[in-house]
Amino acid sequence: MSDFLGIHHLQLKGIRMLSSRLHTLVLFTLIGVFSSFVQANRYEAELDALLAKMTLAEKIGQMNQYNGFWDATGPQPDEGDAKKKYEHLREGLVGSVLNVSGYERVRELQSFVVNESRLGIPLIFGLDVIHGHKTIFPIPLAESASWDMEAIERSARLAAIESSAQGINWTFAPMVDISEDARWGRVAEGAGEDPYLGQHIAVARVNGFQGDDLSAVDTIAACAKHFAGYGFAEGGRDYNRVDVSPYTLHNTILPPFEAAVKADVKTIMNAFNTLNGIPASGSEYLQRDILKGKWGFQGFVVSDWASIKEMVDHSFATNNEHAAALAVKAGSDMDMEGYAYVNHLESLVREGKVDEKLIDDAARRILRVKMELGLFEDPYKYTDKTREAEALYHPSHLAAARDMAKRSIVLLKNEKRLLPLNKNQQKIAVIGPLAADNNSVLGTWRVSSDDHSAVSLVDGLKQYSNHFTYEQGVKFSIGEEAFSQHIIANTTDRTGIAEAVALAKESDVVVMMLGEHGFQSGEGRSRSNIQLPGLQQELLEEVYAANNNIILLVASGRPLDLSWADAHIPTIVQTWQLGTESGNAIADVLFGEYNPSGKLPMSFPRNVGQLPTTYRQLSTGRSTPKDNVFWSHYTDIESDPLYPFGHGLSYTDFKYSKLKVKTLKDNRVKISVKVKNTGKYEGEEVVQLYLRDRVASTVRPVKELKGFKKILLSAGESQKVEFVLTEKEMGFYNAKGEFLLEDGDFDVMVGGGSIDGLTDRFTL
Ligand code: NOJ
């Protein structure tokens, strides 16, 4: 019945839309076609001429990317010796390098290639500039909690300014993988669980890195990754298989990538995972049909680290040669440190097993991006000693990092209103292994950072108070190396607990900073237990027994299981890993210099057994609680998360009223609401709009974020906030990836989170 209705209404609507908006549509289409034609053709004549000069081997060389000869961000291949790499650079068999940065190194390598190779085609230098370069900003998940697109764009912009000053012209960011599973360590690098928020953040980051003019010296090419599905690794175990429905693929996984492509992202990185049985690097469906076909992507696709040859380990390819053939046919343009292309593509073409047109197309895409960056005009334009000296750790970058860090903090609970702290009157105990730490808080994926360059909490507090004393309590027993296998937990040394307890007893209030070490999340850092690692829970409970006026600061790269803390600790603040300015930003929030405004971009589960979880559930046939056991739930725990998506408190209070919904012409709906700051402090609120499509030809989520606005209100001030929903917000993709808009009833909810809000309904 609903299938029938859905399709019928869709057809009617199609006709209605077409007649009313035909003129506008035709005009916009013509303008669009014309401008993409101009854009795409700007360099085509030059590219034709260049490609005509290149040998087959040189074209394949453009598709080959080598890791720098010292650092590595993945397993080192046997073939990876520096001598051979230099030979290949001279022979024009390398198009790009990664992990080479700094004036000296970049200039040395670039001039080697430009002067020694036959055609002197400049290299493109790629690096993981994930959340800052030298000045480290909060981990991306934390930044996402700001819901502040301007601040996020600025963070990427400044990362581009610093990294480009060190010779980098291409970042492997943003990671736009949606994930519903906090066990997966790479949630730290993404925007959380929601594709709508994720799309906006993807665009902000791409714009920040690439700026308005890619050829400017301080803008760099961005790379939306990992295409696609990587965030749905089964069990949250990194690199694991991904099995998702076409519905999830089109409605959850792909939208942030599509948004990045629309924002003109220059490159896409494919992924380590299989998606429904096909390795992403060998997926024609993803790379040719969707990315380069349906979306018309003009940039190039880089593989993930050796992901092409890993298709052999996946048992998808017989050997590296077979993997190379599969990958190039599937649309992977560049092979990252995989040696499959450089070693095998030439013979594959000569033997007629791979069409040379595929090589031409891939090389053209890569060379086009180099031209857009201006590398042909001046291969050394990104290497400027003065700029390098001035840009790194520039005071304005540090100020922006502090601002971004403040905005990323989420106040989860403030029951006794222990916060904000009073500057003069209280005797404060500061406890925990992370409170004096100036390294871990830099977080994961910060390859260019200087170790121990962050402001610790203890240092940050000094500017506000000298009434505090610090005790570590327990320690982390980890090495500092980013790729260590042993970054696991604390020591078994309990001797510091007694001192921490004694300090807590004689203090008015206790600030405890606990959580994960910065290298406990990120790539390869999946966890099957998401509680506080090591002895920290024990420390927390013992200190609580001595003094329950605790403000718990949770530093982590993922949502943790905070159930015990939530049941006992009056005030809990999620401080993630906030980067260089961590301690300053936390102190600003603790003392009320900044009123927290962050909202969770990912649900915090009650325990690991609830994972994966999202507020965007589909209704089951048995979702309503019953007085018997036969409904969809766990018998040993509540069904809802501990802290839901969108949750975050402020030192002030906001009251919502006057929700109004009005349907307009052209399938648009206007929604307005009044928000009043009823508390004592000035504060920012993220006004969130959620929709539910009541009946559709595919079961739709019980709630989906479809609008948000961040507003600033002084105490007592009110503001009317308006949203206009369009077809884009009300429609959805079917299993074939077709976008549908179906008539019917929609529930609206507007509030400061995903659980409570004012509700209404409209009919489309
Ligand atoms: C592997 C990671 O998956 C990817 O995100 C990163 O950009 C590359 N290594 C390069 O370091």
Side-chain angles (χ1 to χ4, degrees), residues 444-513:
T444 183
W445 273 123
R446 33 98 167 182
V447 293
S448 305
S449 67
D450 294 306
D451 282 342
H452 301 283
S453 57
V455 177
S456 71
L457 173 66
V458 166
D459 284 335
L461 289 175
K462 287 181 187 151
Q463 67 205 292
Y464 286 101
S465 167
N466 37 35
H467 302 297
F468 73 88
T469 313
Y470 171 63
E471 280 294 345
Q472 190 177 38
V474 295
K475 294 184 198 130
F476 279 96
S477 72
I478 46 172
E480 304 273 273
E481 325 80 59
F483 303 113
S484 163
Q485 288 285 333
H486 306 292
I487 301 167
I488 304 297
N490 310 49
T491 57
T492 48
D493 178 0
R494 292 182 162 79
T495 50
I497 296 184
E499 283 146 25
V501 167
L503 174 65
K505 263 192 194 142
E506 61 184 39
S507 303
D508 300 317
V509 64
V510 183
V511 174
M512 294 188 78
M513 187 160 171

Side-chain angles (χ1 to χ4, degrees), residues 431-441 452 470 472-481 486-494 512-521 527 531-537 539 553-558 560 576-577:
I431 295 173
L434 293 168
D437 188 303
N438 61 6
N439 200 37
S440 160
V441 288
H452 301 283
Y470 171 63
Q472 190 177 38
V474 295
K475 294 184 198 130
F476 279 96
S477 72
I478 46 172
E480 304 273 273
E481 325 80 59
H486 306 292
I487 301 167
I488 304 297
N490 310 49
T491 57
T492 48
D493 178 0
R494 292 182 162 79
M512 294 188 78
M513 187 160 171
L514 306 177
E516 293 179 313
H517 186 276
F519 293 146
Q520 275 180 306
S521 56
R527 292 181 63 199
Q531 291 174 325
L532 292 170
L535 295 176
Q536 294 180 101
Q537 181 64 30
L539 174 69
L553 308 177
V554 183
S556 63
R558 54 158 68 79
L560 293 183
W576 317 101
Q577 282 124 6

Side-chain angles (χ1 to χ4, degrees), residues 72-74 98-99 127-128 130 172 175 186 189 225-226 230 239 269 272 304-305 336 445 523:
T73 50
L98 76 151
N99 291 328
L127 188 72
D128 290 282
I130 306 296
F172 305 127
M175 186 187 102
R186 299 199 82 169
E189 293 174 58
K225 68 188 189 186
H226 304 84
Y230 188 35
Y239 319 121
M269 185 184 292
F272 290 127
D304 203 343
W305 181 284
M336 179 190 286
W445 273 123
E523 188 179 345

